[in-house]
Amino acid sequence: QKRETMKLSNAIEKGNSKYWTTAHVRKNVRKNPTTDQDWFVMLIGPDEKQYMLVDEAEKPIVHSDINQLVELLSLVGLSSFNVFI
């Protein structure tokens, strides 16, 4: 399935409307496939579309410290997520 991007501001807006809290939404933190030192967020909506979080300049949001992503996911309105190593 084709992955799309979603700006962080849009993900936060959707979070404020409880979009990410429905039963069919999956929230994942994954290792970056190009380097095993970085992590990224993949959100899968109730429509099964896959979204990689990007910043306002459309650059993928990746961090070497997974704790940075925990704070980010909290801003999006998520309290739980899956981690794939």
Side-chain angles (χ1 to χ4, degrees), residues 1-6 26 42-45 47-52 58:
Q1 184 158 11
K2 184 178 185 287
R3 292 184 178 126
E4 299 182 25
T5 60
M6 180 176 292
R26 289 175 275 161
M42 179 67 62
L43 300 172
I44 304 169
D47 55 2
E48 291 296 316
K49 285 186 182 177
Q50 299 179 14
Y51 301 98
M52 175 185 267
E58 298 283 338

Side-chain angles (χ1 to χ4, degrees), residues 34-77:
T34 57
T35 172
D36 64 358
Q37 297 175 9
D38 290 327
W39 299 87
F40 70 96
V41 175
M42 179 67 62
L43 300 172
I44 304 169
D47 55 2
E48 291 296 316
K49 285 186 182 177
Q50 299 179 14
Y51 301 98
M52 175 185 267
L53 279 185
V54 296
D55 62 18
E56 296 308 305
E58 298 283 338
K59 181 180 174 191
I61 299 173
V62 295
H63 286 287
S64 59
D65 181 359
I66 197 169
N67 292 312
Q68 295 287 330
L69 294 178
V70 171
E71 292 177 24
L72 184 81
L73 289 168
S74 179
L75 287 174
V76 174

Side-chain angles (χ1 to χ4, degrees), residues 10 13 15 49 78 84:
N10 191 15
E13 185 178 304
K49 285 186 182 177
L78 303 176
F84 292 88

